[in-house]
Amino acid sequence: MRRFDADYLERTRRGMWGDSREALADLELDTAQRVLDVGCGSGELTAVLREESPGDVIGVDADEALLSTVRQPVVRGDATRLPFADDAVDLVVCQALLINLPEPAAALAEFARVASDRVAVIEPDNSAVSVESTVDAEPTLARRARRLYLDGVDTDVALGARAADLFPDAGLDVVSTRRYDQRLTVTPPYSEAALTAAQRKATGAGLADRADVLAASVPDDEFDRLREAWRSMGRDVIDQMGAGEYERTETVPFFVTVGRIGE
C-alpha cells in the first residue's frame, strides 16, 4: 500500500465537498449512529461525516502519525483487519483508499463484515484526471507525466469508475453510484501552497517525488527530456504568477458507490 504524508493529503483533498454534498446523499448520514471512516488520513472526510451525521464518527488509519492530526475518536487499524466486531457500526466509508491497496476486494469484504447496514466507497478514476492552465504546455505535460506514473504503479488507478463490480462478492447490494468532480483551482491572489507548487515545478521537485516510478516506465533520456520540459513549464508558471495572470484547474472525477448488506 502506498503511504502519504499529512501535507499531501491536505493539499489533494482541500475544499472537497465544500461546494456540494449531494453525492453523499445515499450514505444516509442523517440516520447513522455509528460510522467508520477507514483510511481517514488527516481527517478531511472525517470532519465532513461528523458535520452530517448525528452519531459517532470514528477515524481509522494504519498510520499513527496521521491519526495524531485527527480529532478523537480515532483507532489505529489495517483496512483488511479492522479491530471491530461483526456488525459493529451502521456504516463504513472510505475515500481514495481502495485505489492504493493491492487487494481492494479484501478490504471491501472487511468493511461488509463490520457494517450492519451499508458500505460506501468514494474512489477516484485517476486515469481521467484533467488539467486546464493558462500555461499552454502544462496540460500536455501533466497528462504525459500522469500516464507514465500510473503505468508504473501496481494498483488499479481507475477503480472508482468500476468499484461497484467488487460489491457482489463482498455480499453487498449496490444502491447507487454517483459522480463527484473535485476541482482544485489556482487563481490570484496566490496562496503559499500555490507558490510552493510553482517552485516545485520549476525545480523539478514534483517529478523527483515520483522519479522511481516514472524512470522505470521510460528510458533515461526520455525521462531527462520530460524533466527539462517540466522545469521550463514551471518557469513559465512563475512568470505568469508574477504578472498575476496564472490560472489552473485540475479536475479529479470521484465515484461514490453505496451498497447495503445483502440478506
Side-chain angles (χ1 to χ4, degrees):
M1 175 182 173
R2 295 193 295 279
R3 294 186 179 277
F4 306 97
D5 62 25
D7 288 342
Y8 172 85
L9 293 174
E10 192 282 329
R11 185 171 69 251
T12 57
R13 298 182 182 181
R14 69 178 185 273
M16 193 167 181
W17 312 112
D19 55 346
S20 172
R21 296 180 181 175
E22 182 180 353
L24 300 177
D26 293 333
L27 276 65
E28 300 178 11
L29 290 169
D30 58 338
T31 69
Q33 295 302 311
R34 194 166 168 83
V35 181
L36 291 188
D37 177 13
V38 182
C40 66
S42 47
E44 286 75 21
L45 178 62
T46 314
V48 171
L49 298 175
R50 287 171 175 168
E51 290 175 8
E52 299 292 329
S53 172
D56 295 326
V57 177
I58 304 167
V60 182
D61 203 281
D63 190 323
E64 191 169 5
L66 289 176
L67 284 179
S68 69
T69 69
V70 184
R71 182 169 58 84
Q72 296 287 338
V74 297
V75 174
R76 186 177 183 184
D78 187 308
T80 61
R81 296 185 299 276
L82 292 170
F84 295 91
D86 295 358
D87 305 328
V89 300
D90 302 316
L91 169 68
V92 177
V93 186
C94 73
Q95 177 176 303
L97 172 69
L98 300 185
I99 62 162
N100 293 308
L101 297 178
E103 297 182 11
L108 193 60
E110 184 69 348
F111 298 172
R113 178 188 70 79
V114 169
S116 65
D117 186 26
R118 56 200 180 275
V119 170
V121 301
I122 305 167
E123 297 290 331
D125 178 354
N126 281 337
S127 69
V129 175
S130 63
V131 172
E132 298 176 7
S133 172
T134 53
V135 172
D136 292 341
E138 187 168 15
T140 300
L141 285 171
R143 186 166 54 250
R144 181 182 172 198
R146 184 178 307 107
R147 176 179 56 78
L148 292 173
Y149 178 76
L150 296 180
D151 285 349
V153 300
D154 57 1
T155 60
D156 186 354
V157 299
L159 178 66
R162 48 179 178 266
D165 295 344
L166 301 177
F167 275 48
D169 285 347
L172 295 165
D173 298 326
V174 175
V175 171
S176 66
T177 296
R178 297 181 184 232
R179 176 169 170 159
Y180 173 86
D181 286 342
Q182 179 195 26
R183 291 186 172 87
L184 301 170
T185 60
V186 177
T187 56
Y190 305 114
S191 66
E192 284 297 321
L195 295 169
T196 298
Q199 187 64 33
R200 286 170 59 79
K201 289 184 174 78
T203 61
L207 284 184
D209 289 346
R210 299 175 286 177
D212 290 346
V213 174
L214 288 169
S217 302
V218 296
D220 290 345
D221 57 345
E222 184 177 346
F223 179 68
D224 289 342
R225 288 194 297 271
L226 172 62
R227 182 165 47 193
E228 184 50 44
W230 192 270
R231 289 171 174 164
S232 177
M233 176 267 290
R235 292 191 290 271
D236 290 342
V237 169
I238 289 175
D239 288 345
Q240 285 196 12
M241 280 184 156
E245 297 173 349
Y246 179 66
E247 295 186 5
R248 179 185 192 273
T249 300
E250 180 176 349
T251 302
V252 184
F254 278 81
F255 294 83
V256 182
T257 303
V258 179
R260 288 195 183 278
I261 305 300
E263 296 297 333

